């Protein structure tokens, strides 16, 4: 049963910042003893029983997934403003580096993202109604964006270190050129913090 409980914790982990998972865990745990005994009477062994229970829990997980519904109008508004706020914060943090002579291409990209997010906010469909949020898919997108950012940071760091060692960059310029990519951490961070927006817009 401890293994099944760990499996339930694994299923519910993505939701813990959005809904009260303790109630859902109780719902999933309810009747497991009776279900285990029923499978045992039917002649299944321990491993087969675990597999059957996990399969039944997976169906219940899909039901919980469907319960993560948000008000569309509210979510569109808050999520766009959420991303714009993080991007503006990143741009503001880059201003000292720009004044110190930093390269302008990364701030221009951030400014472009702000413009795209603002256009998306203005043009978004705001018809009323509920939409379902796939939390597992959202988590995949979080990891993908973080992986892209890590690759971007690695490539930028290698270029900066190489140019500094070759004497193409002064120490100040080297620090600035490394500082800019670090500030862009706010971009994947904004997606990681989207859970807060979902929680505000969720409909029970």
């Amino acid at each position: 049963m401890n293994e099944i409980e760990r499996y339930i914790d694994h299923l519910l982990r993505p939701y813990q910042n959005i809904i009260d998972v303790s109630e859902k865990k109780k719902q999933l745990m309810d009747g497991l003893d009776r279900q285990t005994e029923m499978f045992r009477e039917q002649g299944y062994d321990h491993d087969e029983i675990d597999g059957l229970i996990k399969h039944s829990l997976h169906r219940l997980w899909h039901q919980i997934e469907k319960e993560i519904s948000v008000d569309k109008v509210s979510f569109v508004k808050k999520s766009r403003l959420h991303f714009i706020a993080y991007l503006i914060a990143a741009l503001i943090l880059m201003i000292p580096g720009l004044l110190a002579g930093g390269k302008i291409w990364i701030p221009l990209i951030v400014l472009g993202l702000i413009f795209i997010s603002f256009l998306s906010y203005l043009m978004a469909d705001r018809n009323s109604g509920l939409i379902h949020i796939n939390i597992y898919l959202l988590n995949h997108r979080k990891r993908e964006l973080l992986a892209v950012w890590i690759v971007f940071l690695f490539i930028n760091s290698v270029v900066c270190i190489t140019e500094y060692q070759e004497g193409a960059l002064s120490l100040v310029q080297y620090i600035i050129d490394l500082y800019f990519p670090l500030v862009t951490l706010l971009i994947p961070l904004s997606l990681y913090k989207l859970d807060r927006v979902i929680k505000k817009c969720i409909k029970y």
Side-chain angles (χ1 to χ4, degrees):
M1 191 59 69
N2 287 336
E3 183 183 347
I4 295 297
E5 187 171 355
R6 285 195 296 270
Y7 183 72
I8 290 173
D9 289 336
H10 169 72
L11 287 179
L12 295 177
R13 189 175 299 119
Y15 307 100
Q16 62 186 2
N17 295 324
I18 299 173
I19 60 174
D20 181 10
V21 297
S22 59
E23 190 63 33
K24 296 298 179 183
K25 182 176 179 178
K26 182 180 177 182
Q27 174 189 340
L28 291 174
M29 291 289 291
D30 186 38
L32 284 184
D33 289 333
R34 183 179 57 81
Q35 200 172 11
T36 301
E37 187 60 33
M38 181 185 69
F39 287 136
R40 188 176 290 115
E41 289 174 357
Q42 292 174 3
Y44 293 104
D45 61 27
H46 177 74
D47 292 336
E48 289 174 328
I49 290 173
D50 279 353
L52 289 167
I53 289 176
K54 286 179 181 179
H55 181 69
S56 65
L57 289 174
H58 206 68
R59 290 202 308 271
L60 287 173
W61 162 67
H62 279 298
Q63 292 176 14
I64 294 172
E65 184 76 28
K66 291 177 182 178
E67 292 176 14
I68 309 298
S69 300
V70 297
D71 178 72
K72 188 175 183 180
V73 174
S74 178
F75 181 69
V76 165
K77 181 179 179 180
K78 292 182 186 298
S79 61
R80 265 51 172 202
L81 292 176
H82 168 85
F83 287 119
I84 290 172
Y86 270 89
L87 290 169
I88 290 175
L91 188 63
I92 290 172
L93 287 173
M94 289 178 182
I95 290 175
L98 281 173
L99 296 176
K103 295 176 182 177
I104 199 170
W105 69 274
I106 296 182
L108 280 178
I109 290 174
V110 175
L111 190 61
L113 289 172
I114 292 173
F115 181 69
I116 291 169
S117 297
F118 184 67
L119 281 182
S120 175
Y121 173 74
L122 293 177
M123 299 171 64
D125 178 12
R126 301 186 188 189
N127 293 328
S128 61
L130 298 179
I131 54 174
H132 298 300
I133 303 293
N134 189 320
I135 304 300
Y136 272 77
L137 184 60
L138 176 61
N139 285 343
H140 283 306
R141 294 296 172 263
K142 289 176 181 180
R143 288 191 287 269
E144 288 170 0
L145 184 57
L146 184 60
V148 169
W149 180 82
I150 290 173
V151 171
F152 163 73
L153 181 64
F154 174 76
I155 294 173
N156 214 281
S157 299
V158 170
V159 171
C160 287
I161 291 170
T162 303
E163 289 182 348
Y164 178 69
Q165 290 175 342
E166 292 174 350
L169 294 177
S170 65
L171 179 59
V172 173
Q173 189 67 48
Y174 169 69
I175 293 172
I176 292 170
D177 284 1
L178 281 180
Y179 170 73
F180 274 5
L182 284 172
V183 171
T184 60
L185 174 61
L186 286 173
I187 296 174
L189 186 63
S190 66
L191 191 57
Y192 268 85
K193 297 297 183 180
L194 190 61
D195 288 354
R196 295 180 181 179
V197 178
I198 296 172
K199 188 174 183 178
K200 291 177 182 177
C201 303
I202 199 166
K203 295 291 183 181
Y204 294 98

